[in-house]
Amino acid sequence: MSEPDGSYWRFLPYPALYKIFQHLTYKELISAGQVCRLWYDASLNDLLWKDLFFKNFLVDKSVPVVTGKSWYEEFIRLCYFIPVVLTETLQEHTDQVLHVSFSHNGRYFATCSKDGYVTLWTSNYPAKVKYTRNMKYFKWKYTQYSQFNESDTLLLVSGVHFGTTHSTSGEIAVFNLDRFELQCRVVNKPYDIFGTWYDDKCLLSGDLHWLAHLVSSSHLWLNKASQEAESELVPITHCLFRFYNRNASSIRAIMIANCLPNSENASNNIGSQNNDSGFEEGSSLQHGNPVSHKDIKWIPCDVRRAMSNSLFEQMRNSKDFPNPIWFIKSDKYLIFTTGYKTYTPHQIGFKRIQPFSFPKMMDPGPTLKERLILFEQRKEQMRSGSPPPDPDWLDFEQVADKFNKVDHLIDLHGHIVGMGLSPDHRFLYVNSRSWPENYVISNPLDPPPIAQEIDIHVIDLVTLKQVGTMLRAHKAFTPNNECFFIFLDVCNEYVASGAEDKHGYLWDRHYGACLAKFPHVDVVNSVAFNPQDPEMLVTTSDDHTIKIWRSRAKVKELGLNEAQFQKGIELRKGRSFVNSRRYR
């Protein structure tokens, strides 16, 4: 826009300018700001951008702006810095691509597929294959999940064994990233436990034991990632927990979170097993989530007590002192899905893990001669008296002492189809398809019908309460007995998820608003943000493709022409954002 004739425009009263600018679109406001200094200053009025923000984005007007940000900055972020430009479509896999995960340093990502391969990719533009391995060589039917360890030196890969239609047998393999050599293989049952890293050198796997009709036990094993040992007495596995499963349910989708400072009162909530919905009585749900740990100068009580009051206040108020994330390094949370009323996973379980380290040597136990003597003594006892009765596995109270107690349960009253942790381990995001309200389950093998809409629940891992919801946007269509995991991922500012409606989805964490859809031609199974660059998102689909989406700002930084690339569908009340020279 060129400067209007007449110098009086320069002296137009600010209130008059503000009134005029209220009628402009964001593109018109940007253009008006290029007329002169007065108009430029007026165009940055944050109340104008607040109105434009709510006119353009599907955000509830009761949600405040992100702490420390202006409405203008937030408007630009949601237009220019979200990953919506399709820069690469990778077609290395020849079957459905089920999962994608990133290394913590952001240099690599791994994909798993029904073609039986696990593939490691470089994440710089353009993404390229670094290693690939056909797991059918190990009698795997397909690969389904992967996860990098903390130091990005090892990759955990989970898969499904060949077997009968109803087989639940799976396996976990670990590869090093130097030459992608196999480090170990561990049995994993049921396969939808997936497996997870416990720490940098150990991983968790599962095993399922049926005890009676509809009753089983899930054993969770801690395994060393490198299982070479010079002696048979060097321990490489340890049974960490044994959980009792009712009504044909089992432990699934395990993950590990660092324990945050729950405070003494919050810790009491975990002391006994609960079976609640996770809603605080009398509280109302909010969109998105409250401030994360990085926004709270929260110092654990034991650390605070060791400080003088003046030092504590100095640390809290100092601009130079970073906002700390205080992890309880010694303790971790085991988080998993399970069930109580039916076999479909409708509860989230929490179990605190006390520190454990493998002993250097195992106790060899009794010698062969001693074992033979004990065996003969037991046989004699059996002959001379009545054998002890088998425990009644259907009566939990009678056998409870044989199992570990779950610390806390949250019932979502629906089929859980995905979970993801925020980077600071403060919040757990859960994909769930709800059951009909007040539905009564009479047969655990006949679960309730489930909604097509997928809800995203937000759980605060400090209080173990639900604290927010995301705008309902994505869908699934398969019934209960065919339902599968829809993986989601969380970065500092956004949440992304796959869906059965042939799209990936992107939400803003704070505003709870759905920002964009990422089209495929079949089900989108998994999504992942680059942890070092949240302006890069990867989606994988049953259409055999892997799509990489980058922000407009990143495309510009790479020296690419945005006009040459397809884009995702941005969900706005108005038209799509058009770049201005002002933001280039």
Side-chain angles (χ1 to χ4, degrees):
M1 179 186 292
S2 60
E3 184 169 337
D5 294 334
S7 60
Y8 64 90
W9 284 102
R10 299 181 181 180
F11 303 102
L12 195 66
Y14 191 92
L17 265 183
Y18 179 80
K19 285 290 186 182
I20 294 170
F21 284 1
Q22 280 184 311
H23 298 280
L24 301 183
T25 66
Y26 59 87
K27 290 189 291 182
E28 292 168 342
L29 186 59
I30 290 169
S31 297
Q34 297 173 354
V35 169
C36 64
R37 183 68 191 184
L38 175 64
W39 286 31
Y40 173 78
D41 291 341
S43 72
L44 293 180
N45 185 295
D46 213 41
L47 291 178
L48 291 173
W49 285 99
K50 179 180 180 180
D51 289 340
L52 287 169
F53 190 92
F54 289 119
K55 285 178 182 176
N56 282 273
F57 298 106
L58 305 171
V59 177
D60 190 316
K61 290 186 177 182
S62 64
V63 182
V65 71
V66 172
T67 304
K69 298 291 185 180
S70 68
W71 288 109
Y72 168 77
E73 290 172 324
E74 288 297 272
F75 193 102
I76 299 308
R77 175 174 68 85
L78 299 191
C79 288
Y80 198 52
F81 293 97
I82 63 172
V84 291
V85 182
L86 178 59
T87 57
E88 296 120 290
T89 300
L90 311 176
Q91 297 178 314
E92 180 75 12
H93 289 290
T94 58
D95 207 332
Q96 301 170 6
V97 189
L98 302 180
H99 188 254
V100 57
S101 65
F102 266 95
S103 61
H104 298 83
N105 59 24
R107 297 176 185 172
Y108 306 105
F109 63 91
T111 54
C112 296
S113 170
K114 281 202 170 180
D115 63 9
Y117 282 83
V118 55
T119 302
L120 185 70
W121 305 79
T122 59
S123 61
N124 54 304
Y125 180 83
K128 295 180 180 178
V129 174
K130 184 174 178 64
Y131 296 114
T132 188
R133 180 65 70 95
N134 185 2
M135 298 304 292
K136 288 186 176 179
Y137 176 81
F138 299 106
K139 310 302 182 187
W140 286 24
K141 190 176 182 180
Y142 56 84
T143 58
Q144 61 169 353
Y145 177 81
S146 66
Q147 187 183 53
F148 292 81
N149 69 341
E150 295 173 1
S151 61
D152 292 328
T153 56
L154 300 172
L155 179 68
L156 176 156
V157 182
S158 174
V160 178
H161 280 152
F162 278 106
T164 62
T165 304
H166 300 291
S167 172
T168 62
S169 179
E171 191 172 46
I172 295 171
V174 175
F175 294 92
N176 65 50
L177 296 193
D178 288 336
R179 298 180 180 179
F180 220 55
E181 296 172 331
L182 184 65
Q183 297 286 118
C184 74
R185 292 166 61 196
V186 176
V187 172
N188 192 44
K189 184 178 180 179
Y191 54 74
D192 53 3
I193 277 186
F194 295 120
T196 188
W197 287 104
Y198 172 75
D199 58 24
D200 201 48
K201 299 183 183 300
C202 297
L203 62 135
L204 290 178
S205 64
D207 198 8
L208 185 68
H209 300 270
W210 286 100
L211 304 175
H213 181 60
L214 302 182
V215 173
S216 66
S217 173
S218 288
H219 294 194
L220 295 186
W221 289 85
L222 184 64
N223 310 272
K224 287 186 178 179
S226 180
Q227 298 196 351
E228 295 180 3
E230 295 179 359
S231 169
E232 63 183 13
L233 298 180
V234 175
I236 56 175
T237 63
H238 172 72
C239 188
L240 206 58
F241 298 118
R242 295 179 176 87
F243 293 117
Y244 184 87
N245 302 318
R246 298 174 171 88
N247 293 325
S249 65
S250 65
I251 302 298
R252 311 184 193 187
I254 60 174
M255 60 173 59
I256 293 290
N258 292 313
C259 283
L260 292 166
N262 290 46
S263 81
E264 289 86 351
N265 292 334
S267 295
N268 292 336
N269 293 336
I270 313 169
S272 60
Q273 185 168 340
N274 298 286
N275 185 21
D276 57 52
S277 63
F279 288 93
E280 282 198 72
E281 188 174 344
S283 67
S284 60
L285 287 179
Q286 51 193 299
H287 288 280
N289 54 266
V291 289
S292 250
H293 242 61
K294 63 185 178 64
D295 300 317
I296 304 176
K297 292 185 176 180
W298 190 352
I299 301 175
C301 296
D302 56 342
V303 178
R304 189 162 62 235
R305 283 192 289 266
M307 301 178 184
S308 64
N309 289 334
S310 59
L311 177 59
F312 171 65
E313 290 303 320
Q314 181 182 348
M315 290 175 67
R316 283 181 61 90
N317 298 325
S318 172
K319 294 181 179 179
D320 298 324
F321 189 79
N323 293 336
I325 299 175
W326 293 93
F327 291 118
I328 302 175
K329 291 291 186 182
S330 58
D331 286 6
K332 299 176 184 288
Y333 266 143
L334 172 69
I335 303 174
F336 52 87
T337 65
T338 186
Y340 180 83
K341 303 171 184 176
T342 178
Y343 72 90
T344 59
H346 55 93
Q347 294 177 316
I348 302 170
F350 299 88
K351 180 68 178 176
R352 204 160 194 148
I353 305 177
Q354 300 299 328
F356 174 84
S357 58
F358 283 97
K360 293 183 179 180
M361 294 289 288
M362 289 189 299
D363 180 359
T367 64
L368 176 60
K369 182 177 181 181
E370 291 169 335
R371 291 198 296 270
L372 288 172
I373 293 173
L374 290 172
F375 178 71
E376 290 298 328
Q377 289 175 347
R378 284 194 294 268
K379 283 177 62 178
E380 181 61 31
Q381 290 173 356
M382 295 285 285
R383 284 194 296 265
S384 60
S386 59
D390 291 331
D392 182 3
W393 297 110
L394 296 174
D395 183 355
F396 175 69
E397 298 302 324
Q398 184 184 133
V399 298
D401 61 329
K402 301 180 184 296
F403 302 96
N404 297 99
K405 196 173 186 179
V406 178
D407 291 336
H408 192 81
L409 286 169
I410 294 177
D411 200 321
L412 294 185
H413 306 290
H415 194 138
I416 298 170
V417 293
M419 296 196 299
L421 276 171
S422 64
D424 61 3
H425 290 206
R426 173 71 189 272
F427 297 100
L428 178 69
Y429 288 73
V430 185
N431 272 339
S432 175
R433 297 173 61 185
S434 63
W435 292 338
E437 191 174 354
N438 300 322
Y439 190 93
V440 177
I441 300 174
S442 56
N443 181 356
L445 299 181
D446 185 20
I450 49 179
Q452 290 186 350
E453 294 79 11
I454 301 175
D455 295 315
I456 297 183
H457 303 267
V458 189
I459 297 171
D460 188 339
L461 295 185
V462 169
T463 62
L464 297 183
K465 297 291 182 181
Q466 292 195 50
V467 295
T469 57
M470 314 301 288
L471 181 67
R472 178 180 281 186
H474 57 325
K475 292 187 176 183
F477 306 105
T478 51
N480 250 319
N481 59 339
E482 298 176 14
C483 209
F484 53 87
F485 230 60
I486 298 289
F487 292 95
L488 70 163
D489 195 29
V490 188
C491 67
N492 284 333
E493 295 175 324
Y494 310 111
V495 179
S497 176
E500 289 184 46
D501 61 8
K502 305 178 184 179
H503 289 86
Y505 286 82
L506 178 75
W507 291 262
D508 183 270
R509 280 181 62 186
H510 176 77
Y511 301 109
C514 192
L515 302 175
K517 298 166 62 175
F518 307 105
H520 280 261
V521 296
D522 210 332
V523 173
V524 177
N525 296 301
S526 180
V527 297
F529 292 101
N530 186 326
Q532 299 301 319
D533 179 16
E535 295 176 43
M536 175 186 180
L537 176 73
V538 178
T539 59
T540 69
S541 170
D542 279 0
D543 64 15
H544 306 184
T545 67
I546 302 158
K547 291 187 177 182
I548 300 179
W549 309 83
R550 304 179 195 264
S551 70
R552 292 182 169 92
K554 186 61 62 176
V555 168
K556 178 68 176 177
E557 182 183 315
L558 292 170
L560 305 175
N561 182 0
E562 179 191 328
Q564 295 179 350
F565 297 96
Q566 297 179 15
K567 298 176 185 65
I569 303 166
E570 297 180 78
L571 303 179
R572 311 259 193 92
K573 294 178 182 177
R575 296 178 62 186
S576 295
F577 181 74
V578 178
N579 289 335
S580 165
R581 287 176 297 177
R582 189 173 180 179
Y583 311 116
R584 294 179 183 175

